[in-house]
């Protein structure tokens, strides 16, 4: 059975290659910046308000709040904050937002138990491996059934993180994973409405995973067949072929390349990952054409079918999105934005931009055809043809989305994103130094205090 072996590895002695540690630190830092940006924008206000109201023992910190709350409550808020702007990282194989479910549990339980450098980083790596492997065993198979893989896999990840930091043994951790499975879910119904439930999914997953570990520690039991059935998570929630062997394959190998933590991509743009390859290809084509967007008469894109079902769905208006979040799941609108503005940032998806004529008109002239690729949708190539006013056609191609695979975000690019998210270069430097100190030094409280300081918006900014 899979769960007992995964649990034994998750709470056992780890030998993490330096390259894997470095990758984990990059993702933790990126997640902190995204959470701060979400807090500064007020993008997760309902979750923060509710989590603060839940209160409980003063165990953990919600970014941007002064009072400490219970660890599960803090994880609910911080998980929502990391994912609120859809700027957080993506593991292409599992189409899972890994840091959004790893970081909240690491910070909340780490602060609760007073964990320091090595323990925090090891717990984070465990969380990354569990989230990516559980999702990667069923690439796009949860999404095909209408479920968000980040929440499905995230409950297991957060349970494993909490179990390790709480010092649970393998048998109890197996029960924690089994209990977590009964809390897996996350409907994709938001796609047709622009509702904010997707933002909440990592928060739900982080909170539920911590509760699963606590319940197991208190004596509750969970099925050790949660992954391999019958009636396990894949039987119940995945549609189509599943490779459960992926969960344990090369787990703990001495080869860094086999660790899924090294396979996670960092987003350059705060929009759905499945649109990124097309956006990048459109940029390439426009640069080759030597014109600006006003000369573009039509755009034709080749899109992976699994991507099209999410960012090209016919059940909603893709040219005039219903909300800023809906715009992040419109390939035509996002491609139009990057062609017209030359860049896409957090402000691109402001409410006031949704009906900009130059964006809606160009979005209406963007078409696509379905082109199945050999790999998963989030790692597919991008191909675009621009038709120009002078009659020329220009093609643009990228092998995969920028920020992942063979095109990782550079260290300078990562810091630039962080500095932009926290709106303070000095604080960004201090936050980077605190994360870089792991695993030899540092603790959750130190990291949280720096992030919390960055999350506070000065009064002159709020009234400007």
């Amino acid at each position: 059975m899979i769960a007992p072996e995964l649990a034994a590895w998750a709470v056992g002695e780890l030998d993490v290659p330096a390259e894997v540690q470095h990758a984990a630190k990059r993702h933790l830092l990126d997640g902190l910046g995204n959470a701060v940006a979400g807090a500064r924008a007020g993008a997760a206000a309902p979750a923060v308000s509710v989590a603060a109201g839940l209160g409980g023992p003063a165990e953990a910190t919600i970014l941007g709040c002064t009072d400490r709350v219970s660890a599960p409550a803090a994880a609910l808020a911080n998980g929502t904050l990391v994912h609120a702007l859809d700027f957080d990282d993506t593991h292409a194989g599992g189409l899972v937002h890994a840091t959004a479910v790893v970081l909240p549990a690491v910070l909340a339980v780490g602060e609760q138990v007073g964990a320091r450098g090595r323990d925090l980083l090891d717990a984070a790596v465990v969380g990354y491996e569990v989230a990516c492997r559980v999702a990667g065993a069923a690439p796009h198979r949860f999404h095909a059934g209408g479920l968000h893989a980040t929440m499905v896999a995230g409950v297991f990840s957060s349970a494993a993180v909490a179990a390790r930091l709480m010092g649970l043994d393998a048998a109890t951790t197996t029960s924690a994973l089994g209990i977590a499975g009964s809390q897996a879910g996350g409907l994709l119904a938001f796609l047709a409405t622009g509702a904010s439930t997707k933002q909440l999914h990592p928060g739900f997953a982080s909170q539920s995973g911590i509760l699963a570990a606590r319940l197991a520690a208190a004596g509750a039991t969970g099925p050790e067949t949660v992954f391999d059935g019958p009636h396990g998570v894949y039987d119940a929630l995945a549609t189509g072929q599943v490779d459960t062997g992926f969960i344990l394959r090369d787990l703990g190998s001495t080869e860094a390349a086999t660790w899924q933590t090294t396979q996670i991509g960092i987003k350059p743009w705060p929009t759905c990952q499945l649109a990124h390859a097309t956006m990048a290809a459109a940029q390439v084509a426009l640069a080759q054409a030597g014109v600006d967007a006003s000369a573009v008469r039509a755009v034709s894109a080749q899109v992976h079918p699994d991507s099209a079902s999410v960012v090209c769905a016919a059940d909603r208006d893709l040219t005039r999105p219903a909300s800023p979040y809906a715009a992040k799941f419109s390939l035509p609108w996002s491609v139009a934005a990057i062609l017209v503005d030359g860049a896409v940032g957090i402000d691109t998806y402001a409410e006031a931009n949704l009906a900009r004529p130059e964006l809606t008109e160009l979005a209406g002239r963007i078409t696509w055809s379905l082109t199945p690729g050999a790999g998963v949708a989030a790692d597919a190539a991008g191909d675009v043809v621009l038709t120009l006013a002078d009659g020329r056609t220009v093609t643009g191609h990228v092998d995969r989305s920028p920020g992942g695979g063979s095109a990782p975000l550079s260290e300078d690019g990562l810091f630039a994103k962080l500095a932009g998210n926290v709106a303070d270069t000095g604080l960004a430097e201090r936050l980077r130094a605190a994360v870089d100190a792991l695993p030899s030094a540092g603790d959750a409280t130190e990291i949280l205090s720096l992030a919390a300081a960055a999350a506070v918006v000065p009064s002159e900014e709020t009234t400007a």
Side-chain angles (χ1 to χ4, degrees):
M1 287 176 287
I2 294 171
E5 290 191 49
L6 184 62
W9 174 81
V11 297
E13 289 292 325
L14 294 182
D15 184 10
V16 182
E19 183 181 340
V20 178
Q21 290 186 341
H22 178 68
K25 289 192 285 188
R26 279 170 52 90
H27 291 292
L28 292 173
L29 190 62
D30 182 55
L32 286 164
N34 293 323
V36 167
R40 292 176 61 84
V48 171
S49 174
V50 168
L54 290 174
E59 296 172 338
T61 302
I62 298 173
L63 288 181
C65 297
T66 54
D67 294 334
R68 297 169 78 216
V69 296
S70 71
L76 169 64
N78 290 336
T80 306
L81 282 169
V82 175
H83 194 51
L85 299 174
D86 225 279
F87 210 176
D88 49 314
D89 56 24
T90 307
H91 179 266
L95 195 55
V96 62
H97 297 284
T99 296
V101 293
V102 170
L103 179 62
V106 168
L107 291 180
V109 183
E111 187 177 9
Q112 173 198 346
V113 303
R116 292 191 58 79
R118 172 66 183 271
D119 294 331
L120 289 173
L121 192 57
D122 281 352
V125 171
V126 164
Y128 283 124
E129 291 298 311
V130 172
C132 297
R133 288 168 177 272
V134 170
H140 206 82
R141 297 300 91 204
F142 296 121
H143 286 80
L147 295 175
H148 191 192
T150 297
M151 185 170 173
V152 175
V155 293
F156 298 107
S157 171
S158 297
V161 167
R164 184 174 185 88
L165 289 172
M166 291 167 62
L168 303 187
D169 61 23
T172 308
T173 302
T174 300
S175 277
L177 294 173
I179 295 167
S182 285
Q183 302 176 86
L187 299 179
L188 296 183
F190 67 88
L191 283 171
T193 67
S196 62
T197 47
K198 181 176 186 286
Q199 299 167 296
L200 298 170
H201 290 165
F204 289 155
S206 300
Q207 179 188 42
S208 296
I210 294 171
L211 289 175
R214 288 189 174 190
L215 286 164
T221 58
E224 55 189 10
T225 56
V226 66
F227 296 120
D228 30 25
H231 310 304
V233 65
Y234 298 109
D235 287 350
L237 304 181
T239 299
Q241 187 173 359
V242 174
D243 177 16
T244 55
F246 181 78
I247 298 176
L248 298 177
R249 191 172 299 139
D250 296 319
L251 184 65
S253 166
T254 57
E255 298 294 327
T258 67
W259 291 65
Q260 296 305 305
T261 306
T262 66
Q263 308 303 312
I264 305 168
I266 293 177
K267 283 186 177 183
W269 304 310
T271 186
C272 180
Q273 173 75 34
L274 296 176
H276 283 203
T278 305
M279 293 166 66
Q283 280 190 308
V284 170
L286 191 67
Q288 291 177 346
V291 298
D292 61 33
S294 65
V296 176
R297 292 295 173 265
V299 180
S300 175
Q302 297 179 30
V303 181
H304 192 290
D306 289 341
S307 295
S309 67
V310 176
V311 294
C312 301
D315 59 357
R316 59 188 185 276
D317 189 343
L318 298 171
T319 63
R320 297 175 67 92
S323 70
Y325 216 70
K328 295 170 182 282
F329 290 84
S330 168
L331 180 144
W333 197 92
S334 293
V335 169
I338 205 162
L339 287 175
V340 170
D341 294 339
V344 166
I346 293 172
D347 292 341
T348 300
Y349 296 91
E351 188 84 37
N353 283 333
L354 300 184
R356 282 174 57 193
E358 63 269 43
L359 298 187
T360 60
E361 290 170 9
L362 181 54
R365 291 184 266 118
I366 296 175
T367 59
W368 57 90
S369 58
L370 303 184
T371 307
V376 295
D379 200 35
D383 288 283
V384 163
V385 177
L386 304 184
T387 300
L388 307 179
D390 61 10
R392 287 185 296 150
T393 58
V394 183
T395 62
H397 170 84
V398 295
D399 290 334
R400 56 175 48 88
S401 304
S406 59
L409 198 65
S410 68
E411 296 300 322
D412 288 344
L414 176 61
F415 183 75
K417 179 181 175 181
L418 174 69
N421 277 339
V422 305
D424 185 318
T425 301
L427 268 174
E429 288 279 11
R430 292 164 60 196
L431 196 55
R432 180 169 65 176
V435 173
D436 279 349
L438 302 174
S440 59
D443 58 32
T445 302
E446 177 188 4
I447 293 170
L448 273 162
S449 66
L450 290 170
V456 177
V457 180
S459 57
E460 59 266 25
E461 289 188 33
T462 60
T463 56

